[in-house]
Amino acid sequence: MSVDGEAGRREDEADEPGWDVDPDDEWGVAVITTVGRQLKLRREAIGMRVVDFAKAVGYGEDMVYKIESGKRIPRQDYLVVSDKVLRAGGMVAAMWEDVKKVRYPKKIRELGKLEGKAVEIGVYECNIVAGLLQTPEHARALIEAAQPPYSPDDVERMVAARLARQSVFERNPAPSLHFVLEEAPLRRQVGGTMVWRQQLERLLEVGRLSNVTLQVMPTNTEPHPGLDGRIELLKFPDGTAVGRADGRFNGRPVTDLKQLRILELRYGTIRAQALPSRESLDFIKELLGEK
């Protein structure tokens, strides 16, 4: 690939949505501002102008200004190339360790941290497929359907953040994961037929994992305690737990033992009323026309 071609590719990547700094994320703003300032100081210390630095790293001048002013989150590739150009000996490239921690929205980071520590995760979803189970295309279609609509940049940040949470499936030792999904969202062809089929195939793939229990709540069933919204329960190695529920607790995290017992009772009742795991997977296969 030519130098011009490489520069063009990098500029195209840099212009992708999802890399702007969220002004409401104080920690994120502080980190990206500090990184940008350090990059600028190092560039100026070797007497390099923005125009020359931009050509050397293969990005546009406008992107360099945005990153150095803390308005744009630098990609890892940008930091690695900058490290070489600035002869920083790995110091600039190492900034990625801090940058990647604020790459995603604050609320998602906090949720991801909790899920990353949990030894047991239980989720009931009544209106959508649980975020931990969504394919990229399914997640994007759901987020793009919001009204008022999110900006393209926000959509990409939210999709990336949702997918990043799925690293929970790669943990070793693996946590115990339980999901209960309503039948109706499984029938809704979000994103079109192909995206819908890929999503159902993803559910089958995850549902076959030894540490995962996936259940479907049939539409034709008696009322249950989850009709007023989603429920999530996280349990940690030290015996503590945290729960969230859209209904009784308005989605706020709760740690009080009495409130947790209420959530556990509700979630346990929902699981008992849903189809068993094997029957649930068979149900999804039927939706796909495989049975």
Side-chain angles (χ1 to χ4, degrees), residues 2-269:
S2 67
V3 174
D4 290 341
E6 179 69 14
R9 181 184 66 79
R10 288 177 180 163
E11 184 64 19
D12 288 342
E13 290 178 349
D15 285 338
E16 287 181 1
W19 293 84
D20 284 338
V21 179
D22 181 359
D24 296 325
D25 183 357
E26 295 181 0
W27 182 44
V29 169
V31 169
I32 301 306
T33 299
T34 300
V35 169
R37 185 182 301 118
Q38 289 296 315
L39 287 168
K40 182 179 180 180
L41 289 173
R42 286 181 176 274
R43 176 181 58 76
E44 292 177 340
I46 63 173
M48 187 174 247
R49 299 180 304 164
V50 169
V51 60
D52 298 321
F53 181 74
K55 290 180 180 179
V57 297
Y59 286 83
E61 293 177 48
D62 183 59
M63 185 57 59
V64 173
Y65 279 119
K66 285 182 179 179
I67 290 175
E68 290 188 352
S69 62
K71 296 179 180 178
R72 186 77 171 179
I73 301 171
R75 287 175 170 272
Q76 185 176 20
D77 177 69
Y78 183 95
L79 295 175
V80 170
V81 176
S82 296
D83 189 276
K84 295 177 181 178
V85 173
L86 298 171
R87 301 187 293 277
M91 297 297 290
V92 169
M95 291 180 181
W96 176 249
E97 292 302 313
D98 294 318
V99 171
K100 70 180 181 181
K101 295 175 183 177
V102 298
R103 165 72 175 89
Y104 307 114
K106 182 178 179 180
K107 290 183 179 180
I108 302 300
R109 293 200 307 266
E110 293 173 348
L111 177 58
K113 285 182 181 179
L114 290 175
E115 291 173 340
K117 297 176 182 177
V119 294
E120 183 177 343
I121 300 175
V123 178
Y124 161 73
E125 280 285 4
C126 59
N127 295 316
I128 62 172
V129 173
L132 288 174
L133 301 173
Q134 292 174 12
T135 64
E137 296 77 14
H138 184 95
R140 183 172 290 103
L142 284 177
I143 294 170
E144 288 178 339
Q147 290 295 333
Y150 294 107
S151 69
D153 194 82
D154 285 340
V155 169
E156 293 308 314
R157 278 173 61 85
M158 294 172 73
V159 171
R162 189 165 296 181
L163 298 181
R165 289 173 50 210
Q166 297 179 7
S167 62
V168 69
F169 291 104
E170 302 168 5
R171 282 174 47 195
N172 186 18
S176 178
L177 305 173
H178 311 276
F179 300 95
V180 182
L181 307 177
E182 287 285 346
E183 174 184 342
L186 300 184
R187 291 186 178 276
R188 186 175 298 120
Q189 297 191 15
V190 173
T193 303
M194 184 61 69
V195 171
W196 170 70
R197 291 187 63 85
Q198 290 173 346
Q199 179 60 69
L200 294 185
E201 289 167 357
R202 171 61 177 166
L203 294 180
L204 290 176
E205 177 186 355
V206 174
R208 296 186 181 109
L209 297 176
S210 60
N211 64 311
V212 175
T213 300
L214 178 62
Q215 295 177 260
V216 174
M217 178 69 74
T219 300
N220 185 21
T221 188
E222 296 296 321
H224 60 75
L227 295 178
D228 58 354
R230 75 187 304 272
I231 294 175
E232 182 171 16
L233 284 167
L234 308 177
K235 298 183 179 180
F236 305 103
D238 61 1
T240 60
V242 63
R244 299 189 306 160
D246 288 342
R248 183 184 180 101
F249 304 112
N250 299 314
R252 293 179 289 103
V254 296
T255 56
D256 178 76
L257 288 179
K258 182 178 180 180
Q259 294 175 331
L260 285 172
R261 289 195 186 98
I262 293 174
L263 287 183
E264 288 178 343
L265 175 61
R266 290 185 172 192
Y267 187 62
T269 303

